[in-house]
């Protein structure tokens, strides 16, 4: 396992930081699921080297990257939708959006449960809180994308029987992945955090 992590670190470092995630201001109160799309899931197109900062994050925080053997698709209830809204709102309101210093790992360090951070820190914190509430880690995946202005961005994607739902620190609402303004880049595997897919 240690050899695999070292190999992945080397590959990811060689490939460079494929996703530079930026802080985008905290969102306001979540108004609920928006958009009227039919059930829709992100389609993976093949494996890709994971973001270097994510590989380091998992090496330093193995409990945050462990598979809890839950379901890959969550059957949404009113209670679960309320939990999603509450976590999205709480993290967006309480965390301060702040880019990583440029001298830290090419300006990209992934952190969880912090007071301030950039977009992947928001996504990781939301994921961690939902897992602590009993959600399946397999249904909670970090995805990278680009905003309309071309900035690298990261969000939490929740796979449900209503489709893939996106929790974004730039937005107050939870949306189906097709209803966002993002240009999708790659997504983490639900069962193995060291496996990522092109989108």
């Amino acid at each position: 396992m240690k050899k695999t992590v070292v190999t992945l670190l080397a590959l990811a470092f060689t490939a460079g930081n494929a996703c530079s995630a930026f802080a985008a201001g905290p969102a306001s109160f979540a108004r609920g699921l928006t958009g009227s799309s039919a059930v829709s899931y992100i389609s993976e197109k093949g494996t890709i080297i994971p973001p270097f900062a994510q590989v380091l994050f998992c090496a330093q925080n193995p409990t945050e990257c462990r598979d809890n053997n839950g379901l890959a698709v969550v059957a949404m209830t009113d209670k679960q939708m309320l939990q999603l809204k509450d976590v999205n709102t709480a993290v967006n309101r309480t965390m301060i959006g702040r880019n990583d210093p440029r001298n830290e790992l090419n300006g990209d360090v992934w952190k969880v449960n912090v007071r301030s951070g950039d977009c992947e820190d928001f996504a990781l914190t939301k994921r961690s809180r939902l897992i602590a509430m009993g959600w399946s880690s397999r249904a909670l995946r970090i995805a990278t994308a680009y905003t309309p202005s071309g900035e690298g961005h990261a969000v939490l994607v929740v796979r449900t029987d209503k489709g893939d739902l996106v929790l974004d620190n730039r937005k107050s609402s939870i949306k189906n992945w097709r209803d966002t303004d993002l240009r999708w880049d790659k997504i983490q595997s639900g069962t193995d955090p060291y496996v990522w897919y092109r989108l």
Side-chain angles (χ1 to χ4, degrees):
M1 176 63 179
K2 193 176 259 188
K3 185 177 178 183
T4 302
V5 171
V6 171
T7 302
L8 283 169
L9 282 170
L11 285 171
F13 186 75
T14 302
N17 183 9
C19 169
S20 96
F22 295 87
S28 59
F29 182 72
R31 288 176 183 80
L33 180 63
T34 61
S36 56
S37 298
V39 175
S40 176
Y41 296 103
I42 293 174
S43 177
E44 297 97 1
K45 296 179 182 156
T47 58
I48 192 168
I49 295 172
F52 178 61
Q54 184 267 340
V55 175
L56 275 182
F57 172 80
C58 285
Q60 295 166 350
N61 302 277
T63 57
E64 292 291 336
C65 298
R66 189 179 313 144
D67 176 12
N68 67 9
N69 297 313
L71 298 173
V73 179
V74 175
M76 291 297 287
T77 63
D78 290 342
K79 177 184 175 184
Q80 287 168 316
M81 183 55 79
L82 183 59
Q83 286 178 338
L84 277 187
K85 290 179 190 177
D86 287 348
V87 166
N88 194 51
T89 300
V91 174
N92 285 355
R93 281 186 171 174
T94 59
M95 276 185 69
I96 299 166
R98 183 172 294 145
N99 287 335
D100 292 323
R102 284 283 174 209
N103 59 352
E104 275 191 302
L105 192 66
N106 296 326
D108 194 25
V109 177
W110 290 28
K111 298 171 288 230
V112 66
N113 297 318
V114 289
R115 294 182 57 130
S116 66
D118 56 9
C119 53
E120 76 277 348
D121 307 328
F122 279 81
L124 288 166
T125 299
K126 291 172 188 180
R127 182 180 185 276
S128 182
R129 289 191 185 181
L130 287 166
I131 289 172
M133 296 168 83
W135 285 64
S136 167
S137 63
R138 292 185 177 191
L140 304 171
R141 303 188 295 165
I142 306 299
T144 62
Y146 295 95
T147 65
S149 65
E151 289 183 319
H153 192 51
V155 294
L156 178 63
V157 176
V158 183
R159 179 149 286 190
T160 77
D161 60 352
K162 309 289 186 198
D164 280 330
L165 305 181
V166 177
L167 281 64
D168 187 339
N169 65 299
R170 301 173 309 132
K171 306 287 183 180
S172 60
S173 56
I174 296 170
K175 295 186 175 186
N176 181 281
W177 73 280
R178 285 191 183 276
D179 297 329
T180 69
D181 63 356
L182 298 169
R183 183 168 45 90
W184 296 97
D185 179 37
K186 55 189 163 188
I187 192 166
Q188 184 178 42
S189 162
T191 56
D192 186 345
Y194 295 104
V195 175
W196 282 65
Y197 300 101
R198 286 183 298 107
L199 297 176

